Amino acid sequence: MSSPGDGDGKRLEGPPEGPKDFIRAIVERDLKAGAHRSVVTRFPPEPNGYLHIGHAKSICLNFGIAKEFGGRCHLRFDDTNPSKEEQEYVDSIQADVRWLGWDWGGHLYFASNYFQQLFEWALHLVRTGKAYVCDLPADEVRRYRGTLKEPGRESPFRNRSAEENLDLFLRMKAGEFADGSRTLRAKIDMAHPNLMMRDPVMYRIRREPHYRTGTAWCIYPMYDFQHPLSDAMEGVTHSLCTVEYEIHRPLYDWFIREAEVFPSRQIEFSRLNITHTVLSKRWLLRLVKEGYVSGWDDPRMPTLAGLRRRGYTPEAIRDFLGRIGVAKTDSYVDIQLLEHCLREDLNKRARRVMAVLHPLKLVIENWPGRGQSGGPGQVEELEAVNNPEDPGAGTRKIPFSGELWIEREDFQEVPPPKYFRLFPGNTVRLRYGYIVTCTGFTKDPATGEITEVRCSYDPATRGGDAPDNRKVKGTIHWVSAAQAIPFEARLFDHLFPSERPMDVEPGVDWVATMNRDSLESLPGAFGEPSLAGAKAGESYQFERLGYFVRDSAEGRDSAGRPVFNRSVNLRDTWAKIEKKGSAS
Ligand code: ATP
Ligand code: MG
């Protein structure tokens, strides 16, 4: 089911085996019919933000098809809007596509490099009477367009001669007219049932420097004109986009036909939506700009940079995309499926370690070497398995002593029903260590907080075995206090409590619906000594607590402690849902 990837930096193979989606079926049919010698696709991001997991769907579809059918996929920046585009985004997008495992070879393109060629095609349309300069201001253009029920009205400037249009368009380019005072429009049909076809604007005047072309241009092409012709220029055979562009398709075809260029073809597929998050650069930009998150790579963000920092692997993301497939109807995908795919992947590769997030001191009263005044006493080395799923991962030594940290919730003064962990008189197994019995505890009289738990250990139970077949129901994890590595743990919750935060009621600002407690910092956590060597981006399973990754952006918190982000907890709700589904 998952994409075969070996994680050694080699390129991943194609998508999972299985029935072809409708787009792959079209490509296969076209190639068999000899419509094209080879398939050419493109991924066309606008560099106005960081990529999110919705883009990953488009990336894996475009690059995946090119790879499977022996063609090529271009990375083209659709950068024809000067106001929101930046080099920072160009760089991050390239890094993210590579991280996902794809390579565009020499096929890196910028639509802004096509400005001259696009301009010449526009001149061609002016000369052939298919485009005209219109002096209506933007709001008038809108008023003239009509509605779904009513046809539009023709602009009073629609019937200018080709000579006059040519002269005016050249002067638009030369900067003779004010911003917004004129546009170049395609001359199609003001009564067309599809509003897109009612003489759409091709060029507008805008004196705004572009991040690549500077002030060379003061007219900029609109998406609907630029996109099909950029595709054609690159010989793109199958131009894949999301369903909201379906109504643009007649216009796409019109420009291809009228400009007499390579017949690229647009095919739409459903947009990816995921519950409890938002997938739109515009919305994500607002979270960043207004400080609701720490940046585009905040581990709560559905951006590829955020997911990476959260501990997601390309393999987990590609497995997820393979499972949801490609269809034409929009839907929301349960975020638990994404988390399930991450667990499946990390389960195979993450080394197990012990760490304590909410520490409580456990003292072993009969531990050898403890003096009158207590102390850790003798230190013993115990052997622990690195990954039960991967025998090749080997074992490691962990220190054990008379003073340990355990998880606060693993002790209860008065145990609730079915509580098998520590409480006065009860016996538990310390993972990889000994069997201990609780002998007492200390409580702060002022706050009622438990400050220490005491126990005695059975020396005959080293490694956790009970030689006399004693029944011990609970096993808890621990860290030897004297050797513990202090660290900061960061736990995350969904950004939005609502399943579909993008479907807000009219009048409600979606930002107000955010979960303001989605980040929990635990600066007082302790880990076993082997965590000292954790590298940025390295994933671990903290036994019983979840998968954690050493933070790759900050690395250490303000007190110099290493930071570990929780990627996902260990409760696989999706696996339960699946089981239920197959049982019923
Ligand atoms: P956003 O709304 O996030 O800004 P966009 O479509 O405006 O997205 P582009 O940079 O234009 O962003 O997108 C590049 C490509 O990624 C397009 O082909 C677009 O259709 C595709 N894409 C964007 N969002 C999604 C999504 N949620 N699911 C699938 N494909 C997507
Ligand atoms: Mg866009």
Side-chain angles (χ1 to χ4, degrees):
M1 172 137 281
S2 71
S3 322
D6 53 17
D8 303 336
K10 279 193 212 143
R11 289 295 172 219
L12 301 160
E13 294 310 313
E17 293 297 315
K20 283 191 184 64
D21 56 67
F22 77 100
I23 297 181
R24 287 178 166 87
I26 291 172
V27 170
E28 187 171 68
R29 204 179 327 122
D30 287 352
L31 290 176
K32 273 203 185 122
H36 309 287
R37 261 187 298 130
S38 75
V39 61
V40 180
T41 57
R42 88 285 171 265
F43 173 63
E46 184 179 0
N48 61 352
Y50 279 57
L51 297 181
H52 52 65
I53 188 162
H55 294 111
K57 176 175 179 181
S58 175
I59 292 167
C60 292
L61 183 63
N62 280 294
F63 281 93
I65 286 178
K67 179 165 185 155
E68 286 153 56
F69 292 94
R72 62 175 202 265
C73 180
H74 300 175
L75 175 61
R76 177 174 78 237
F77 287 96
D78 243 353
D79 56 352
T80 53
N81 178 358
S83 59
K84 292 178 188 136
E85 299 165 356
E86 288 174 28
Q87 187 61 38
E88 178 195 347
Y89 299 139
V90 170
D91 297 338
S92 74
I93 288 170
Q94 294 191 45
D96 286 345
V97 174
R98 283 211 183 88
W99 176 72
L100 272 180
W102 302 108
D103 185 358
W104 49 88
H107 299 285
L108 175 64
Y109 303 107
F110 292 84
S112 56
N113 284 351
Y114 304 155
F115 280 159
Q116 183 61 33
Q117 176 66 65
L118 291 168
F119 175 71
E120 278 161 28
W121 274 323
L123 288 176
H124 173 73
L125 295 186
V126 170
R127 286 196 194 98
T128 54
K130 298 289 180 180
Y132 63 96
V133 172
C134 178
D135 302 358
L136 290 177
D139 55 334
E140 287 290 294
V141 169
R142 217 169 304 124
R143 259 180 1 101
Y144 273 71
R145 187 176 298 136
T147 63
L148 281 175
K149 292 195 192 95
E150 279 168 49
R153 278 180 297 144
E154 296 191 350
S155 158
F157 306 99
R158 195 173 198 259
N159 294 313
R160 281 172 160 155
S161 69
E163 291 72 40
E164 189 185 358
N165 282 319
L166 194 59
D167 173 63
L168 286 171
F169 185 47
L170 289 171
R171 288 165 61 196
M172 271 172 67
K173 178 183 185 263
E176 284 188 33
F177 308 124
D179 284 15
S181 63
R182 286 186 161 90
T183 54
L184 183 72
R185 297 176 66 181
K187 192 169 178 176
I188 307 180
D189 180 359
M190 287 309 290
H192 201 286
N194 182 339
L195 270 67
M196 295 280 161
M197 300 293 276
R198 296 184 187 171
D199 292 11
V201 172
M202 294 166 57
Y203 273 90
R204 58 199 169 144
I205 306 172
R206 191 136 181 199
R207 281 171 184 76
E208 194 161 356
H210 182 276
Y211 80 107
R212 281 175 63 88
T213 59
T215 52
W217 295 84
C218 65
I219 56 170
Y220 288 97
M222 303 299 286
Y223 172 88
D224 283 318
F225 170 67
Q226 172 273 122
H227 200 86
L229 298 186
S230 298
D231 283 344
M233 197 157 351
E234 295 174 16
V236 168
T237 56
H238 299 81
S239 177
L240 313 180
C241 63
T242 39
V243 278
E244 66 269 25
Y245 288 98
E246 191 164 10
I247 49 164
H248 298 244
R249 188 173 355 118
L251 189 50
Y252 184 101
D253 293 339
W254 191 88
F255 280 121
I256 294 259
R257 200 169 54 243
E258 296 301 334
E260 300 166 53
V261 292
F262 180 85
S264 297
R265 170 178 173 198
Q266 174 180 306
I267 302 169
E268 308 86 19
F269 65 94
S270 65
R271 223 183 147 76
L272 172 63
N273 295 302
I274 296 183
T275 58
H276 300 292
T277 193
V278 294
L279 292 184
S280 157
K281 277 182 284 175
R282 196 161 47 83
W283 291 37
L284 295 172
L285 178 69
R286 186 164 166 214
L287 295 181
V288 173
K289 287 270 143 88
E290 295 179 17
Y292 292 100
V293 293
S294 64
W296 286 100
D297 68 348
D298 187 300
R300 292 167 291 176
M301 292 279 272
T303 51
L304 295 178
L307 292 168
R308 178 162 63 235
R309 198 172 156 198
R310 178 77 172 258
Y312 272 81
T313 59
E315 289 81 0
I317 291 173
R318 293 175 57 150
D319 179 25
F320 168 74
L321 295 171
R323 289 177 194 229
I324 62 173
V326 177
K328 241 193 132 117
T329 33
D330 275 342
S331 66
Y332 266 84
V333 176
D334 194 327
I335 196 165
Q336 291 172 3
L337 175 59
L338 180 62
E339 295 177 344
H340 170 75
C341 293
L342 180 60
R343 285 189 195 97
E344 294 267 292
D345 187 46
L346 293 179
N347 182 40
K348 288 176 273 167
R349 62 171 89 217
R351 202 150 72 68
R352 274 56 170 171
V353 293
M354 289 199 285
V356 172
L357 301 186
H358 300 92
L360 172 63
K361 185 67 80 59
L362 177 71
V363 170
I364 306 175
E365 293 179 305
N366 60 339
W367 184 253
R370 276 166 55 87
Q372 278 303 334
S373 53
Q378 157 187 320
V379 178
E380 234 178 68
E381 297 259 278
L382 299 172
E383 187 152 29
V385 174
N386 285 335
N387 186 348
E389 301 289 319
D390 174 11
T395 60
R396 70 188 183 286
K397 297 268 192 260
I398 33 178
F400 186 93
S401 70
E403 281 187 8
L404 309 174
W405 293 116
I406 61 168
E407 213 62 68
R408 205 156 260 290
E409 63 168 32
D410 284 340
F411 173 81
Q412 296 284 329
E413 182 181 355
V414 182
K418 296 207 172 143
Y419 186 83
F420 301 119
R421 293 170 270 167
L422 275 178
F423 54 87
N426 195 41
T427 297
V428 299
R429 184 180 277 112
L430 296 175
R431 177 92 163 135
Y432 297 119
Y434 292 88
I435 289 174
V436 297
T437 301
C438 181
T439 52
F441 61 93
T442 308
K443 196 169 170 173
D444 181 329
T447 63
E449 196 187 49
I450 309 287
T451 52
E452 184 182 282
V453 176
R454 290 183 294 280
C455 67
S456 65
Y457 88 113
D458 179 347
T461 57
R462 189 183 152 114
D465 296 331
D468 47 0
N469 285 331
R470 213 179 318 170
K471 282 253 183 306
V472 179
K473 279 197 169 159
T475 299
I476 65 173
H477 63 273
W478 52 272
V479 172
S480 177
Q483 297 81 19
I485 307 284
F487 71 92
E488 175 174 334
R490 293 187 186 155
L491 312 186
F492 310 102
D493 196 356
H494 300 321
L495 272 178
F496 294 88
S498 154
E499 275 196 5
R500 299 173 176 220
M502 292 180 81
D503 300 348
V504 280
E505 311 254 311
V508 173
D509 183 8
W510 60 273
V511 148
T513 71
M514 261 185 92
N515 173 9
R516 304 308 293 272
D517 297 315
S518 55
L519 167 65
E520 186 184 0
S521 287
L522 303 171
F526 289 111
E528 62 169 71
S530 74
L531 268 189
K535 291 194 266 306
E538 200 168 353
S539 287
Y540 293 86
Q541 187 194 98
F542 290 0
E543 295 210 22
R544 297 176 66 218
L545 300 174
Y547 292 100
F548 284 73
V549 64
R550 173 85 192 270
D551 188 54
S552 49
E554 290 172 44
R556 287 179 187 279
D557 69 4
S558 53
R561 288 173 290 237
V563 174
F564 286 86
N565 299 322
R566 180 150 76 183
S567 310
V568 67
N569 63 27
L570 296 176
R571 275 190 307 277
D572 199 336
T573 23
W574 185 262
K576 282 196 202 112
I577 294 169
E578 260 185 348
K579 236 196 205 150
K580 246 196 228 151
S582 61
S584 64

